[in-house]
Amino acid sequence: MIQTIAKTNMPVDEVLRIRKNRIQPDAESLTCPKRISIVTGIHGDELEGQYVCYEVARRIGEHPEFLKGTVDIYPAMNPFGIDSVTRGIPAFDLDMNRIFPGNSDGDMNEYLASEIIRDLQGSDLCLDIHASNIYLTEVPQIRINELTEEMLMPWAKLSNVDFIWVHGTSTVLESTLAFSLNSRKVPTLVVEMGVGMRITKEYGNQLTDGIFRLMKEMGIWSGPAAEVRTPVISRNPDDVAFLNAPVSGIFIKTRSHGSMLEEGDEIGQIVDPLRGTLVATITAPVSGWLFTVREYPVVDEGSLLARILRNNPQE
């Protein structure tokens, strides 16, 4: 059932609506009181979650007899951003994920944020799905701050991601959707995967398998669910090595994300297309797993090129 969770009038007789699809079995089959919420589209240029929303709804539609609880799907929290392929809220130059929990008496954006929080409260689990930006590609991962690790880690391990990255409290942004929900005791996992403005079906299917595994654990789904992979977990900031461009130019990657590297392995080259010269060779400073790599080729000095998780991360 399609429901409008928030709306506001716009100029020229337009109405901005944020909608969800609530999927439930009939009253006799609704034997599980649990509710899972799948959220995406807070950033309009992050589209990986669109496929996940589609695939979750499609799979449930194929076997509705296995659904025992409630699944809420929110594909477009920032509909104007998605329509205009804009990261933030168009015309306001505003990152929507920096205004939560909002204010019901505030301006239009604060009001919408408060309505989103209101509607999501009561969820037993929420997945806030993001992509990387247009510059970087990420393997499927969940990012958790250490304040909520005890609450979230059991769920994160069932989500079928490759990597769980536990951050220190100094990196916590209190104005995000995830922080606002977790502080209200709604367990919320932040998923990062793929690249901006694109859909990576492989990653979408991987995460969808994880969502059905979570639903089965919660009692929402009684049908089959795939076995999930065991993620690598990092809690130590020193586990991750960051590579930044030493010069400006065009970055040509020679290794894909997900590769295992030895110290000194080439990751890519920075070239000067005007002079036809190689200006820098980028090599791995440590041995480990390349879980982030530059996708957009134009770089300035200091641009992030890659992240490497060192071998044998210390948990």
Side-chain angles (χ1 to χ4, degrees), residues 243-303:
L243 282 73
N244 299 91
V247 294
S248 300
I250 301 297
F251 177 67
I252 311 296
K253 67 178 180 181
T254 54
R255 297 294 293 268
S256 298
H257 65 301
S259 299
M260 295 302 299
L261 303 171
E262 296 296 330
E263 183 177 347
D265 283 354
E266 182 180 302
I267 295 172
Q269 301 176 338
I270 298 177
V271 302
D272 180 347
L274 177 63
R275 296 174 177 81
T277 56
L278 172 67
V279 293
T281 299
I282 309 302
T283 59
V286 296
S287 298
W289 181 43
L290 183 67
F291 71 92
T292 303
V293 71
R294 183 83 176 188
E295 186 73 19
Y296 190 76
V298 179
V299 298
D300 294 318
E301 182 178 349
S303 296

Side-chain angles (χ1 to χ4, degrees), residues 7 9 46 105:
K7 67 177 181 179
N9 292 325
E46 298 179 2
D105 296 320

Side-chain angles (χ1 to χ4, degrees), residues 19 26 29 53 60 69 80 97 102 106 112 118-119 131 134 140 150 154 213 216-217 234 245 251 258 290:
R19 299 186 296 175
D26 57 40
S29 300
C53 290
I60 293 173
F80 279 175
N97 211 26
L112 293 174
R118 178 192 59 77
D119 199 76
I134 65 170
E150 183 177 355
R213 180 66 182 83
K216 192 171 183 69
E217 183 74 13
S234 172
F251 177 67
L290 183 67

Side-chain angles (χ1 to χ4, degrees), residues 182-249:
N182 281 318
S183 65
R184 288 163 172 76
K185 306 305 180 185
V186 178
T188 302
L189 301 172
V190 177
V191 181
E192 299 270 356
M193 64 181 188
V195 65
M197 298 189 185
R198 298 291 184 271
I199 286 176
T200 311
K201 286 182 65 177
E202 174 190 354
Y203 290 165
N205 288 324
Q206 178 182 333
L207 181 61
T208 301
D209 286 344
I211 289 171
F212 276 85
R213 180 66 182 83
L214 289 166
M215 289 165 55
K216 192 171 183 69
E217 183 74 13
M218 298 169 72
I220 292 173
W221 183 254
S222 65
E227 291 297 317
V228 296
R229 61 193 69 194
T230 301
V232 176
I233 300 173
S234 172
R235 294 181 175 88
N236 187 339
D238 294 333
D239 288 344
V240 177
F242 294 77
L243 282 73
N244 299 91
V247 294
S248 300

Side-chain angles (χ1 to χ4, degrees), residues 13-218:
D13 296 326
E14 293 180 319
V15 179
L16 170 61
R17 292 181 174 87
I18 298 176
R19 299 186 296 175
K20 73 176 181 183
N21 182 7
R22 167 158 288 185
I23 308 176
Q24 284 181 316
D26 57 40
E28 290 184 358
S29 300
L30 186 61
T31 57
C32 175
K34 299 291 182 66
R35 169 190 172 200
I36 187 171
S37 294
I38 301 163
V39 174
T40 193
I42 287 178
H43 293 136
D45 62 349
E46 298 179 2
L47 305 177
E48 299 282 8
Q50 302 299 308
Y51 178 77
V52 176
C53 290
Y54 157 76
E55 187 64 9
V56 169
R58 185 192 68 79
R59 293 188 192 183
I60 293 173
E62 282 190 343
H63 294 285
E65 68 275 14
F66 294 140
L67 186 64
K68 305 302 178 183
T70 301
V71 180
D72 280 344
I73 297 175
Y74 304 75
M77 289 301 202
N78 177 10
F80 279 175
I82 291 175
D83 288 346
S84 60
V85 201
T86 304
R87 180 175 178 80
I89 301 173
F92 293 91
D93 193 25
L94 182 66
D95 186 336
M96 190 176 195
N97 211 26
R98 299 295 182 270
I99 59 174
F100 290 103
N103 182 347
S104 59
D105 296 320
D107 64 22
M108 180 190 81
N109 300 306
E110 292 174 322
Y111 164 74
L112 293 174
S114 70
E115 289 296 288
I116 289 169
I117 293 291
R118 178 192 59 77
D119 199 76
L120 284 166
Q121 286 187 170
S123 300
D124 295 283
L125 182 64
C126 178
L127 278 82
D128 178 17
I129 304 172
H130 294 260
S132 185
N133 54 36
I134 65 170
Y135 302 103
L136 302 167
T137 303
E138 305 271 10
V139 299
Q141 59 196 265
I142 286 175
R143 298 181 182 179
I144 298 173
N145 79 66
E146 61 187 13
L147 297 174
T148 55
E149 180 181 354
E150 183 177 355
M151 176 174 65
L152 297 180
M153 185 60 74
W155 297 118
K157 287 180 177 179
L158 294 175
S159 300
N160 205 34
V161 296
D162 297 311
F163 181 33
I164 299 174
W165 194 358
V166 181
H167 287 276
T169 56
S170 61
T171 64
V172 173
L173 295 174
E174 296 185 3
S175 55
T176 63
L177 175 68
F179 182 91
S180 296
L181 290 174
N182 281 318
S183 65
R184 288 163 172 76
K185 306 305 180 185
V186 178
T188 302
L189 301 172
V190 177
V191 181
E192 299 270 356
M193 64 181 188
V195 65
M197 298 189 185
R198 298 291 184 271
I199 286 176
T200 311
K201 286 182 65 177
E202 174 190 354
Y203 290 165
N205 288 324
Q206 178 182 333
L207 181 61
T208 301
D209 286 344
I211 289 171
F212 276 85
R213 180 66 182 83
L214 289 166
M215 289 165 55
K216 192 171 183 69
E217 183 74 13
M218 298 169 72

